[in-house]
Amino acid sequence: MEDILIKASKTAESAEVFQLTALRTPVQFEANRLKQIQTKESVTTALRVFKNGRVGFAQVSGSIKPEELISMALETSEFGHKVNYTLPGNLPLNHPDIYDPEIEKVRVEEMIDIGMEIIESVRANTPEIVFEGTIARTSAIYQIINTNGTDIHYRRSTFTVSMDGMLVRDGDILYIGDILSSCHPIREFSSMTGNLIRQLELARNNVSIKSGIFPVIFSPFGVAGALISPLIAALNGKTVYDGASPLKDKLGKSVFDRKFWLYDDPTIPYQPGSTPCDDEGMPAVRNTLINSGVISQFYYDLHTAALAGTVSTGNGTRNGGLPSPSPHALIIAPGKSTQDEMVKQIKEGLLIEQLMGADQGNTLSGDFSGNVLLGYKIENGEICGRVKDTMVYGNVYQLLGSISDIGNDARWIAGYLNTPSIFCPEISVSAK
Amino acid sequence: MRETLQTLLKDHRADYIEVRLEENNSSRLIYRGKRLEEAGLSASSGGNVRALVNGGWGFVSFNSIHDLRAKIDLAIEQAGYIARGEIKLSPVEPIIDVVEETFKRNPQNISISEKKQLMDHYNLLMLETAGIQTTTIAYSDIRKKVTLATSEGTYIEQERIDLTLRIAAIASQDGDIQQAGLSIGSKGDFSVIENLDVPVKELAKKAVALLSAPQVKGGIYTVVLDPVLAGVFVHEAFGHLSEADHIYENPKLKEIMVLGRRFGGKHLNIVDGAAVPGYRGSYKYDDEGTPASKTYLISEGVLNSRLHSRETAGRMGEKPTGNARAINYMYPPIVRMTNTFIEPGDISFEDMVADVKEGVYAKDWYGGTTSLEMFTFSAGEAYMIRNGKIAEMLRPIVLSGNVFTTLNNIDTIGNDLSMNQGGGCGKAGQSPLPVSNGSPHIRIRNCLVGGK
């Protein structure tokens, strides 16, 4: 890495090398049995250069001579955007604990046992269910060095347990699923088996719902599937700068219900979304994005912040190219009610667990529409069964503009979102 | 390298081993509004080993191809934990082939500056349109050279180039944001993205027009799908359920997907095949070295065949179809679609619309997804049909169906088959895989549309 930086700095005004080295071991289950064990080693090196006031970029996985990487980056700098920011110097960072050396000691046999134990616990309830799943451990090393003196090196361990069950009845398929993740090895998974069994129990009968407007509770997975991606797009500093965000003029203004708080928090120990810095070496900090319904901040990387005349919020994230703004780990503040207490308040309505297709429209506008892949009908304060062949239509700004209640059941969804259930007064339902 | 691989694969303790090595390089251009945000080049080299031992698979992927012997040993060791027994790969003849591909207008021979000139031009066309707030453009091309060697004696070198262009125009007014997009791809032919002035101008106008379009009222409609959206429909509604890896270990699903079961009318024929030449899903051999084929999934409305890897074909006692694909060397091959389409019938679009009293004409796509039984697919553009005529424009809509009823509700199939090459398919974390899909215009009765 140092070699690349030194050589690049001979022709470029500034340079930065980012390197990610990862070792991932997924153990995969299919049809309730162990199917495949994988080992994935990867090394990716990315070079950003400033040359004649423009940005060049190249990335390589596998072996390559430093000269080749440098010449690729220099070639693109002729066309790159004008440099409007400086790379960070060696800024002080808080290092949250995100590496547990125990991860590397977890044996494959133990991962196999975890998977089989979850599968068998749920099959004790419903023997016909067919599971696919993955138990994976990953350890990764991140390195960022630049010609302004940044020299960052940190490790992250991640352990994930994901299980998807399929139950086929006559011409009817039911899906259930859950995912847990942590920087620690996950050895306690009764919450997962409990949740999977609860989904099976609630979906035992199919019931019908008529078309109309009904109150709705989004479970934590429901929030993740239906409500969060329009917010992520609208709070992105780049979308705001380009005028493509409905929130572009709303900084400091009240847009959502007073009960609604949204944070980006990369500082929580042993959470996979936590990090000491973003992918360009800026300190990662907890940011309040929505404060009691008021838009309090957008999130930025260096380049976008410079365009917008503001400062990076430490959200420069790499996804195969130059950094761009992305949240680390979103947190929706929980309320006080249990999900059951919210269900009891509904005479006729829906509890949405999984919504399919909601992120496939014009998410920028906040409109979404999706098929209720897993959702239950509520009648007179009780869940009475699963609804199928049902679509809902809503607008995130309207739904979160007037929230009836927020649950105390906050949980992590795949490490990027921590959310409780959210109860909204009205959603449009179209059913067959 | 060939001799090294063949020597390594001679001496082992597995039932089957394959080594796949890959080199690729790609370029991309990303615009946001008038800014070229990124001009980037990347290169990657690596490979993987997959070993089958007593019914269990071990898989090792890597960037460094040093010490392949150790990687083979690790894959075998991992497979040894599993011992599922009884896996028989469907036999294929060992093949030795170095495939020479020719590319019509190879994007890798075109300079970044020429690519940029074309993108600048399209961008300007959109930004000049009154009411357009901003734009996004993402261009990329990737060349991939893959070498496959197996313990059965197969040695294949193949090269492919995949190109994609996604353009969107975003209009805004009084806090409302609407967008319209275009997505095009090809198997290494840059000329498909040249001369797009007319559609690019049109999409910018469409984005502006959407600001004053109403939202559809949710409910059950007769819908007419254009070839692009009908292609997404066939991919989601039936293509995924045809992938045998969903079925082969699930006895209940096997019963439902029994060959000979009727899913649609006699006019319905659904095909998938990498042997259909010239599209993004076309190739000579799949990633297990099985020759590509053309498979009738549905023939005259009846389930006729499905898509297989060697493992699923072996387990189900059916013929391998050459559909085992891996997105890159970091992943093992799994059963995937290639070029999937509904064969044309004989009805014109005008006749199809003529007897619809009230319905929806849905065009173009945002995306689609499936749970195998229920699926959604979303249109980028939609209109009401009133008294046999295309009427007012609607906001983008999401449609939904159920595989056990919706295919049967296709009552009319048009005569105007066209293939869409702008999509990418995702499955088991491997996304986006180059595929194409297509259809003529089709009409579906009793289709559920989400809305107010």
Side-chain angles (χ1 to χ4, degrees), chain A residues 30-31 33-43 57-63 72 75-76 79 81 108-109 112 130 166 168-169 171-173 175 238-239 241-246 248 303 307 319-322 356-357 360-362 364-365 367 369 371-373 386 388-391 393 428 430-432, chain B residues 28 32 35-45 57-63 74 78 81-82 84 86 112-113 116 133-134 172 175 177-179 215 218-220 248-250 252-253 256 311 329-332 366-376 378 398 400 402 404 446 448-452:
Chain A
E30 183 183 82
R33 291 194 295 164
L34 181 60
K35 169 73 179 179
Q36 185 168 110
I37 299 173
Q38 304 187 350
T39 300
K40 297 177 173 217
E41 305 165 0
S42 63
V43 186
F57 177 80
Q59 177 172 308
V60 163
S61 302
S63 56
M72 283 163 70
E75 185 187 342
T76 66
F79 310 99
H81 65 77
V108 166
E109 289 94 325
I112 297 169
V130 178
M166 185 202 275
V168 183
R169 300 176 286 210
D172 173 55
I173 304 178
Y175 283 92
K238 208 178 276 284
T239 320
Y241 176 72
D242 287 330
S245 167
K248 63 180 171 180
H303 171 52
L307 288 171
N319 192 11
L322 279 170
M356 181 169 57
Q360 286 170 350
N362 175 28
L364 287 175
S365 68
D367 288 334
S369 181
N371 178 312
V372 182
L373 180 60
R386 177 191 181 203
K388 279 188 65 183
D389 299 312
T390 299
M391 292 195 80
Y393 164 82
S428 293
S430 309
K432 271 208 164 172
Chain B
R28 67 178 194 173
R32 298 278 300 218
R35 311 185 306 277
L36 173 57
E37 287 257 298
E38 182 177 327
L41 293 175
S42 61
S44 179
S45 65
W57 287 106
F59 177 87
V60 176
S61 71
F62 43 83
N63 282 130
L74 180 58
Q78 291 181 151
Y81 284 109
I82 300 172
R84 281 166 82 100
E86 94 251 355
I112 303 179
S113 132
K116 177 177 177 286
Q133 171 72 36
T134 186
S172 119
I177 313 281
Q178 290 297 320
Q179 54 179 317
Q215 184 75 43
I220 312 275
Y248 78 121
E249 297 242 47
N250 191 327
K252 282 272 173 85
L253 210 50
I256 289 173
E311 178 179 4
Y329 60 88
M330 308 268 290
Y331 296 91
Y366 263 113
T369 189
T370 181
S371 73
L372 300 186
E373 181 194 15
M374 294 188 288
F375 53 86
T376 61
S378 52
V398 181
S400 182
N402 184 309
F404 301 116
N446 291 319
L448 186 56
V449 177
K452 272 189 178 157

Side-chain angles (χ1 to χ4, degrees), chain A residues 387-401:
Chain A
V387 297
K388 279 188 65 183
D389 299 312
T390 299
M391 292 195 80
V392 295
Y393 164 82
N395 179 285
V396 168
Y397 295 96
Q398 280 164 17
L399 282 163
L400 297 180

Side-chain angles (χ1 to χ4, degrees), chain B residues 247-267:
Chain B
I247 306 161
Y248 78 121
E249 297 242 47
N250 191 327
K252 282 272 173 85
L253 210 50
K254 250 193 222 168
E255 278 169 33
I256 289 173
M257 291 299 289
V258 65
L259 298 182
R261 176 176 175 150
R262 177 161 293 282
F263 275 88
K266 278 217 148 183
H267 58 175

Side-chain angles (χ1 to χ4, degrees), chain A residues 291-313:
Chain A
N291 183 343
S292 188
V294 175
I295 307 304
S296 62
Q297 198 176 307
F298 303 119
Y299 59 86
Y300 291 95
D301 62 357
L302 286 168
H303 171 52
T304 313
L307 288 171
T310 182
V311 291
S312 168
T313 53

